[in-house]
Amino acid sequence: MKFCYPCIINEQEDGKVHASFPDLEMCEAIGRDLEEALENAKEAERNWIELELSEEEFELPPRSELHEIRLQPGERVMNISVNIRLMEGYDE
């Protein structure tokens, strides 16, 4: 199943890139550059969702629309999607 959440990207003064998901509590990643930050963000999103799905009573948060997210100067937002296999042996 495909999951897609918005991610805020912020380039730090030290050159590193920080990524955070406003809809996924405490789901963040960092990278030496944009490519690494996006890769790490995708992994963080996948881990966050998989952990939530493993709970007996899980409830994934609603997804914010990109135009609803308030950005600080220097930030940008983009959707990041991940595919997660919900059942063993099941491929979409």
Side-chain angles (χ1 to χ4, degrees), residues 9-51:
I9 306 297
N10 184 4
E11 295 185 31
Q12 307 287 302
E13 289 181 15
D14 63 1
K16 293 182 181 174
V17 179
H18 181 260
S20 62
F21 293 85
D23 298 323
L24 308 179
E25 188 176 340
M26 296 174 42
C27 184
E28 301 179 9
I30 198 158
R32 291 183 300 252
D33 55 27
L34 180 60
E35 182 179 350
E36 183 177 278
L38 292 175
E39 197 173 298
N40 293 342
K42 195 169 193 170
E43 182 178 346
E45 179 185 22
R46 177 187 312 281
N47 291 338
W48 196 99
I49 293 170
E50 284 179 344
L51 180 62

Side-chain angles (χ1 to χ4, degrees), residues 71-89:
L71 299 174
Q72 299 299 315
E75 292 181 336
R76 58 185 157 161
V77 64
M78 59 178 38
N79 285 320
I80 297 188
S81 63
V82 294
N83 289 317
I84 297 176
R85 185 180 294 172
L86 297 179
M87 296 183 298
E88 195 62 37

Side-chain angles (χ1 to χ4, degrees), residues 53-84:
L53 292 174
S54 72
E55 298 293 322
E56 190 170 314
E57 292 187 31
F58 70 87
E59 186 174 328
L60 292 176
R63 180 184 171 276
S64 296
E65 295 296 327
L66 295 181
H67 68 274
E68 297 172 340
I69 298 172
R70 291 192 176 163
L71 299 174
Q72 299 299 315
E75 292 181 336
R76 58 185 157 161
V77 64
M78 59 178 38
N79 285 320
I80 297 188
S81 63
V82 294
N83 289 317
I84 297 176

